[in-house]
Amino acid sequence: MSEIQSTNVSPKLARDKVPFGQKAAFGAGHLVNNLFPGALGVFSFFLLTAFGMDPFLAGILGGLPRIYDAIIDPIIGHLSDNTRSRWGRRRPFIFVGAILSGVFFIILWQLDPNNTQSYNFWYFLIFSLVFLTGNALFATPLIGLGYEMTSDYKERTRLMGFSQTIGQIAWMIVPWFWVVIADPTIFKTQAEGVHKLSIIVGAICMILGVLPALFCKEMDQTNLDNRDNKNKNVFSELLSLFKSIGLISKNKSFMKLCAATFLVFNGFQMVASFSYFIIVFYLFKGDYGMAGTWPAWFSTISAVFTAFLIIPIVTVLSSKFGKKNAFIISTVLSIIGYGLKWWGFSPGNPWLMLIPVPLIAFGLGGLFTLMMSMTADVCDLDELENGMPRKEGTFGAIYWWMVKLGQGIALVLAGWVLEIIGFDASKAIQSTETITNLRLFDIFIPIITAAIAIWVMWDYNLSEEKAKEIKAELVARRGEL
């Protein structure tokens, strides 16, 4: 036993280093994980303009699948935690899920504007649920796989930082889908644009999505899991799932990560559309033609800064000051960036809007890089306290359920804010009071939620030293995985 412990405290083992090829494959999976929801958000707008869907029905098509998605994610996560196969726990799900989600994303968007509205509603609803099932089979085990690809405290942050950098490529591309689909020189109709672009997106996601299943390695814990899996039935599996969720909900460190993520992401999402409205109605007086591609450039440049400047800086900050402190630093910088938007959005000089972008990008760029790395540390703590099997899939599902819940609430609250300030997108000219209030909400909502998130994380205590102690005790208990 002492020999194992002394081995653990020796210099970093070679097995803790994730090879570049595996990082690239995992990053490709995250590119898919960002491209699907990004494309879905853009394409959904054209349900109204290209396919004539009633706004109320379009709202139902946006809301019902989210509820289904929230239910199925923990189930898929639990299944991948408890699967035994010659190919591993996660990789079979990822491989099948990538193909299914790619195929059904294409089918989902082959709507015919000449069909009745009722037919298109049910067509879209049914295939949305099928697509989300395939996407959950892919995305939830992919997140769990990332948590177990390395047991090293700092390498986890480097892995998540690299994958988030690759994932940001999706957000450099997605804003231009609006431009391409609506351009009559590229496609005869918007419906044709949606049809053909969905095929390209679906095919790319299938090709990139299978790469983590083919090239990434996961922990082999088959010999350490001594549970009796005979005579398992649906009822017993559901009981096991609820037991896992109960244990996870008692993990204070993980609950802090979820709460901080909910706050930062919710604050960002609430005002995500406000920047577009401010550009159009404040900088360009409601003239969509003059606004042109400025909103797309704003989003794309934000993603470029996040991918190639912010995430590498956050990774270095994490290595030097620890993950919690890196989160606090990056969140404070984002607060400063949001404040600078008051001067950055200046009529007559739209270039100034790009000045706050690098600081604002620290918000989400630091959030997901660090929170996913810290969740991997929490999985070690859970194994120490509750034993095998490790529950990376369930942790990942609950964490991203919190993200999706925040996004759903943010969309509702954003509409409410726009209503109470009297914003009307059908009017080219908004009142001075409406524009001023819009700008103030755009700045202070994310500042307030980010400040609360810092308060939540202030006494987070799963430090590098504690993480190493946990790892040493786990290795002493069951050896290296």
Side-chain angles (χ1 to χ4, degrees):
M1 187 70 67
S2 61
E3 182 179 340
I4 295 176
Q5 288 176 319
S6 64
T7 300
N8 182 70
V9 297
S10 63
K12 186 180 180 205
L13 295 172
R15 68 172 136 256
D16 288 334
K17 182 77 172 178
V18 180
F20 179 79
Q22 290 191 44
K23 284 183 178 177
F26 184 63
H30 273 269
L31 176 55
V32 173
N33 223 13
N34 284 274
L35 188 56
F36 268 141
L40 196 64
V42 173
F43 286 14
S44 293
F45 171 81
F46 293 99
L47 284 174
L48 303 174
T49 60
F51 301 103
M53 188 70 67
D54 179 84
F56 175 72
L57 294 179
I60 294 175
L61 292 175
L64 283 181
R66 288 181 186 277
I67 297 173
Y68 173 77
D69 198 23
I71 295 171
I72 197 172
D73 275 358
I75 297 174
I76 299 298
H78 180 74
L79 286 175
S80 74
D81 284 337
N82 293 274
T83 293
R84 295 179 179 179
S85 79
R86 58 184 294 188
W87 299 285
R89 298 191 298 166
R90 319 285 183 197
R91 294 190 294 170
F93 286 96
I94 294 170
F95 186 88
V96 173
I99 295 174
L100 288 178
S101 54
V103 168
F104 284 104
F105 183 83
I106 295 171
I107 295 174
L108 174 65
W109 291 105
Q110 302 310 306
L111 291 164
D112 188 341
N114 295 318
N115 289 333
T116 65
Q117 183 167 250
S118 176
Y119 178 91
N120 279 343
F121 173 84
W122 288 107
Y123 176 97
F124 192 87
L125 179 61
I126 292 169
F127 281 109
S128 286
L129 300 181
V130 177
F131 161 72
L132 288 173
T133 302
N135 190 239
L137 287 170
F138 167 76
T140 304
L142 176 73
I143 300 301
L145 175 64
Y147 295 153
E148 62 182 278
M149 285 176 67
T150 176
S151 61
D152 183 77
Y153 180 85
K154 293 182 178 179
E155 183 69 2
R156 282 170 170 166
T157 304
R158 287 189 284 266
L159 172 64
M160 297 307 173
F162 185 89
S163 66
Q164 290 297 314
T165 295
I166 301 300
Q168 284 296 316
I169 294 174
W171 300 107
M172 301 175 199
I173 298 170
V174 163
W176 296 95
F177 288 173
W178 298 92
V179 179
V180 171
I181 292 173
D183 190 338
T185 64
I186 300 176
F187 299 112
K188 294 180 180 178
T189 64
Q190 292 180 357
E192 180 187 343
V194 170
H195 292 160
K196 293 184 176 179
L197 199 55
S198 68
I199 295 173
I200 296 172
V201 171
I204 290 173
C205 287
M206 277 189 281
I207 294 170
L208 296 178
V210 300
L211 296 182
L214 297 176
F215 298 107
C216 292
K217 294 182 179 180
E218 56 182 278
M219 284 184 181
D220 181 7
Q221 52 180 287
T222 305
N223 295 330
L224 300 172
D225 186 1
N226 298 316
R227 295 167 303 140
D228 181 11
N229 283 282
K230 295 180 181 179
N231 301 319
K232 284 282 188 178
N233 54 47
V234 174
F235 181 71
S236 62
E237 285 294 348
L238 284 175
L239 285 178
S240 178
L241 170 60
F242 291 132
K243 180 181 178 181
S244 294
I245 293 175
L247 291 172
I248 289 172
S249 67
K250 296 177 182 178
N251 190 311
K252 293 182 179 179
S253 296
F254 181 64
M255 289 296 102
K256 286 181 179 293
L257 301 183
C258 288
T261 300
F262 179 89
L263 287 162
V264 174
F265 188 69
N266 197 18
F268 172 84
Q269 284 292 336
M270 273 189 68
V271 302
S273 63
F274 290 8
S275 293
Y276 175 82
F277 294 137
I278 292 170
I279 291 171
V280 173
F281 292 97
Y282 179 58
L283 300 188
F284 295 100
K285 308 301 181 185
D287 190 326
Y288 285 90
M290 289 182 64
T293 58
W294 275 107
W297 278 116
F298 183 80
S299 299
T300 297
I301 292 174
S302 297
V304 170
F305 273 117
T306 302
F308 301 115
L309 178 65
I310 305 309
I311 292 176
I313 291 175
V314 168
T315 303
V316 172
L317 289 174
S318 172
S319 180
K320 189 172 181 64
F321 301 110
K323 298 175 186 179
K324 182 190 81 171
N325 291 332
F327 168 78
I328 292 173
I329 293 169
S330 60
T331 306
V332 168
L333 290 173
S334 73
I335 288 174
I336 296 172
Y338 282 115
L340 288 175
K341 290 178 80 172
W342 183 260
W343 295 274
F345 285 105
S346 175
N349 195 357
W351 288 102
L352 290 177
M353 78 174 76
L354 302 180
I355 292 178
V357 165
L359 291 174
I360 293 172
F362 271 99
L364 294 191
L367 179 72
F368 290 116
T369 299
L370 295 167
M371 291 300 178
M372 291 182 67
S373 178
M374 286 191 273
T375 302
D377 300 332
V378 168
C379 291
D380 287 345
L381 177 62
D382 177 74
E383 184 195 342
L384 181 69
E385 295 176 343
N386 301 309
M388 291 288 190
R390 289 175 64 92
K391 296 186 280 291
E392 289 94 347
T394 309
F395 271 102
I398 293 174
Y399 177 82
W400 287 98
W401 178 85
M402 186 66 69
V403 171
K404 293 171 183 177
L405 175 65
Q407 186 177 29
I409 293 174
L411 292 174
V412 174
L413 292 179
W416 176 72
V417 169
L418 291 174
E419 183 175 347
I420 64 172
I421 66 174
F423 180 82
D424 186 348
S426 65
K427 297 180 180 179
I429 304 298
Q430 309 291 326
S431 71
T432 302
E433 182 183 5
T434 294
I435 290 295
T436 300
N437 288 333
L438 180 65
R439 296 180 67 205
L440 289 173
F441 276 109
D442 182 50
I443 292 170
F444 283 105
I445 286 175
I447 285 179
I448 292 170
T449 57
I452 298 173
I454 291 173
W455 174 75
V456 168
M457 288 295 294
W458 196 260
D459 61 349
Y460 177 85
N461 61 3
L462 193 48
S463 63
E464 180 176 3
E465 292 72 22
K466 187 173 181 179
K468 287 181 177 179
E469 290 174 6
I470 292 171
K471 179 183 175 182
E473 192 167 344
L474 291 175
V475 171
R477 176 191 294 178
R478 43 74 170 155
E480 287 280 3
L481 295 181

